[in-house]
Amino acid sequence: MILVTGGCGYIGSHTCVELLSAGYEVTIMDNLCNSKAEVVGNIARITGKTPTFVEGDIRDAQLLDQLFARNTFRAVMHFAGLKSPGESMSQPARYYENNVQGSLALFQAMERHSVLQLVFSSTAAVYGNASALPIREDSPPQPPNPYGRSKHMVEQMLGDMVSANLAWHVSILRYFNPVGAHKSGLIGERPAGVPNNLMPYIAQVAAGERECLAIFGNDYPTPDGTGVRDYIHVVDLAAGHIKALEHLLKNAGVHIYNLGTGRGYSVMEMLRAFEQASGRNIPFSIQPRRAGDVAASYADPQKAERALGWKAIHGINEMCIDTWRWQQNIAATSV
Ligand code: UD1
């Protein structure tokens, strides 16, 4: 049995599908602050297997104790957390409470119950404005906002906990830009309010829900002047978690991996690819740069390939087609 915190969320739900399909049993713990319980049913529809669902918060030590006492978990996959860099600037304490204090409560419960196998959801945001591309795992961390700092603090905590107790088996996964959705169209990203991220915004413009994409800057030192990112299909990302889990069950210590494709695409390239996938015209306007954005960011994914035997296989076309299918499904079900 694997405990998945935040298993109803975007990346967590896709990882639950991969876990169940690989034959693992799954217990999801989620406080539903940014997701819906109906995701559990959709995971079951996709896989034919129903995960156990516990509604609750990782900061609730008593609930964690109950859960660990009643189950024998082989490992924990920890996705639960807040993830908006912009929001973290205006509500830093909330980010540190959920992401740092919450993670600490979970790790302490794991220690109390001797479950010392963990996959931790981190982010390429820990790199900030990296000095060299592609970004390797040893690139010095310089997270530019409380969100990135909260994730980096948890990484450091884990490093210290592993140094003090060599029985821990920990895998830290730094995600680049997750996009796409499951092929079934049953699970995907459901941003609340106006999307901050590029892909959901583009999808909503293509669907006619928003008028026009604001492109934040076309004067970057990139081939077409718009920002370049390493977009990775969420199903590839989820598959990376299974590989990381299998590896950590056999290897102690703490291991950090980038999960990205190693290939960057510009905002303009993404827009054109999405137009092709959707058959829709996507109006855009060029706006000033967004504060805190970097010109280009993409991973060196070789460490994960070497150590885990994992590599992203979905291309930009599938990322757009799958996002578009999901977008149409949420539009149809929210009428
Ligand atoms: C953002 C976060 C990052 C987080 C990542 C994954 C910021 C500054 N960074 O990264 O910490 O880890 O999401 O969720 O918020 N763009 C537009 N118009 C839009 C939206 C985006 O032109 O309406 C451009 C951006 O300028 C950027 C690219 O699209 O060049 C990707 O943006 P986004 O999807 O927000 O991801 P990141 O900025 O890479």
Side-chain angles (χ1 to χ4, degrees):
M1 177 73 78
I2 308 293
L3 174 63
V4 182
T5 74
C8 292
Y10 177 41
I11 303 171
S13 60
H14 287 82
T15 303
C16 286
V17 166
E18 297 301 314
L19 280 169
L20 290 162
S21 303
Y24 293 95
E25 288 182 294
V26 170
T27 294
I28 294 174
M29 180 176 174
D30 199 307
N31 70 1
L32 303 177
C33 76
N34 190 26
S35 59
K36 295 197 169 141
E38 70 193 40
V39 169
V40 179
N42 287 338
I43 293 170
R45 278 172 73 190
I46 294 169
T47 60
K49 295 170 189 169
T50 307
T52 304
F53 174 60
V54 177
E55 184 175 346
D57 195 296
I58 50 168
R59 289 165 293 175
D60 184 342
Q62 222 180 335
L63 179 64
L64 286 172
D65 274 334
Q66 272 174 21
L67 203 56
F68 279 93
R70 287 185 191 151
N71 296 276
T72 306
F73 295 122
R74 274 180 81 191
V76 176
M77 288 203 176
H78 176 33
F79 295 94
L82 302 177
K83 61 168 189 181
S84 161
E87 191 180 66
S88 78
M89 313 269 264
S90 55
Q91 304 174 24
R94 201 172 143 238
Y95 271 69
Y96 292 118
E97 188 187 336
N98 277 273
N99 293 2
V100 181
Q101 206 170 305
S103 296
L104 186 57
L106 175 66
F107 303 158
Q108 287 175 312
M110 291 174 72
E111 284 196 318
R112 282 196 298 279
H113 297 270
S114 304
V115 176
L116 300 177
Q117 291 77 24
L118 171 76
V119 179
F120 175 62
S121 218
S122 189
T123 169
V126 299
Y127 295 118
N129 197 356
S131 51
L133 293 171
I135 303 174
R136 286 168 32 144
E137 289 81 354
D138 56 8
S139 177
Q142 36 187 350
N145 48 53
Y147 162 67
R149 281 193 281 278
S150 71
K151 290 287 183 177
H152 186 232
M153 283 176 193
V154 177
E155 291 191 0
Q156 290 176 300
M157 262 165 27
L158 287 170
D160 291 339
M161 291 172 74
V162 172
S163 302
N165 180 356
L166 298 175
W168 274 98
H169 296 226
V170 178
S171 190
I172 293 173
L173 304 180
R174 292 179 176 161
Y175 313 146
F176 280 69
N177 291 57
V179 297
H182 193 265
K183 296 238 172 298
S184 62
L186 289 169
I187 55 172
E189 188 176 19
R190 199 184 277 274
V194 182
N196 293 310
N197 294 121
L198 180 67
M199 264 302 235
Y201 206 106
I202 286 184
Q204 292 187 7
V205 176
E209 287 176 21
R210 300 193 186 274
E211 257 173 38
C212 164
L213 173 74
I215 296 184
F216 300 140
N218 68 348
D219 57 352
Y220 283 109
T222 60
D224 65 20
T226 64
V228 167
R229 296 291 184 275
D230 187 337
Y231 298 95
I232 173 168
H233 197 294
V234 65
V235 171
D236 280 332
L237 202 61
H241 288 71
I242 311 304
K243 294 287 191 182
L245 174 67
E246 283 164 0
H247 185 265
L248 83 84
L249 290 174
K250 293 190 214 110
N251 295 277
V254 58
H255 304 275
I256 301 182
Y257 303 103
N258 284 338
L259 294 187
T261 67
R263 163 84 155 89
Y265 286 100
S266 72
V267 174
M268 206 46 111
E269 286 176 306
M270 292 308 281
L271 183 145
R272 296 297 178 217
F274 207 93
E275 284 189 328
Q276 207 161 32
S278 63
R280 301 285 176 94
N281 178 44
I282 300 173
F284 65 89
S285 71
I286 305 297
Q287 299 294 325
R289 293 179 179 191
R290 180 172 67 177
D293 271 0
V294 298
S297 162
Y298 48 93
D300 179 338
Q302 288 183 65
K303 186 179 172 194
E305 185 173 356
R306 256 193 333 265
L308 308 178
W310 169 88
K311 207 178 162 175
I313 53 175
H314 295 86
I316 183 176
N317 192 34
E318 279 168 295
M319 298 182 204
C320 293
I321 286 175
D322 294 340
T323 302
W324 181 231
R325 184 186 304 109
W326 166 247
Q327 172 64 40
Q328 288 174 299
N329 284 358
I330 42 180
T333 51
S334 61
V335 181

